[in-house]
Amino acid sequence: MGDRRTKQRCVKDVGMGCALLNGNVERPVTIRNFSESGLFFETAVKMMPGTYIVLRSIGANDSMDTTTGTAGPQYALDDDDPDVCSLFRSHTVAKVQRCERFSEHSDSPRYGVAAEIQRWTY
């Protein structure tokens, strides 16, 4: 069975901070891929489907402790990247669609989260 996605994906590991839409606790996540309408990221925190989240780029001067999360490198656009990669923005509001645990270690659980982009912002 092939990939059923209708939108082209940009496959890049990007470190971002993630918080609930009205929350003030930001946790590091690693975006693994995104399209114009959705994204997939890894996190140490279980998220319920239907939850609205805010993702923001982690800058070099952020004081976020990334040793407990999965934050990856900062975003960089390469000349050979597909056009969809130019859609990346530093802030994104998204709605969690699916959250699946993929780590068997109970002391450091890992989750894969699929989210629908509600709004790309700059």
Side-chain angles (χ1 to χ4, degrees):
M1 184 178 284
D3 191 351
R4 296 179 296 161
R5 294 180 180 134
T6 59
K7 308 276 186 191
Q8 184 181 25
R9 309 292 281 183
C10 178
V11 179
K12 285 187 176 282
D13 289 351
V14 182
M16 295 190 88
C18 179
L20 297 178
L21 183 59
N22 295 316
N24 59 0
V25 176
E26 189 172 74
R27 301 187 187 279
V29 301
T30 301
I31 303 294
R32 296 296 183 194
N33 65 65
F34 64 89
S35 72
E36 66 183 71
S37 61
L39 52 88
F40 178 81
F41 62 91
E42 292 181 17
T43 179
V45 179
K46 184 176 182 177
M47 297 185 178
M48 298 302 297
T51 302
Y52 286 89
I53 56 174
V54 177
L55 298 153
R56 76 168 184 92
S57 294
I58 297 172
N61 296 326
D62 282 333
S63 61
M64 182 184 302
D65 178 10
T66 59
T67 60
T68 59
T70 59
Q74 291 183 339
Y75 187 79
L77 189 60
D78 300 320
D79 290 339
D80 59 342
D81 283 337
D83 290 342
V84 69
C85 292
S86 66
L87 295 175
F88 181 83
R89 299 294 181 255
S90 61
H91 288 77
T92 302
V93 176
K95 182 179 180 183
V96 174
Q97 298 296 314
R98 186 177 74 247
C99 180
E100 297 176 2
R101 186 174 178 159
F102 62 84
S103 168
E104 298 300 322
H105 303 296
S106 60
D107 57 336
S108 60
R110 307 292 326 139
Y111 297 92
V113 178
E116 178 184 12
I117 294 170
Q118 304 295 300
R119 181 175 179 173
W120 287 107
T121 58
Y122 290 90

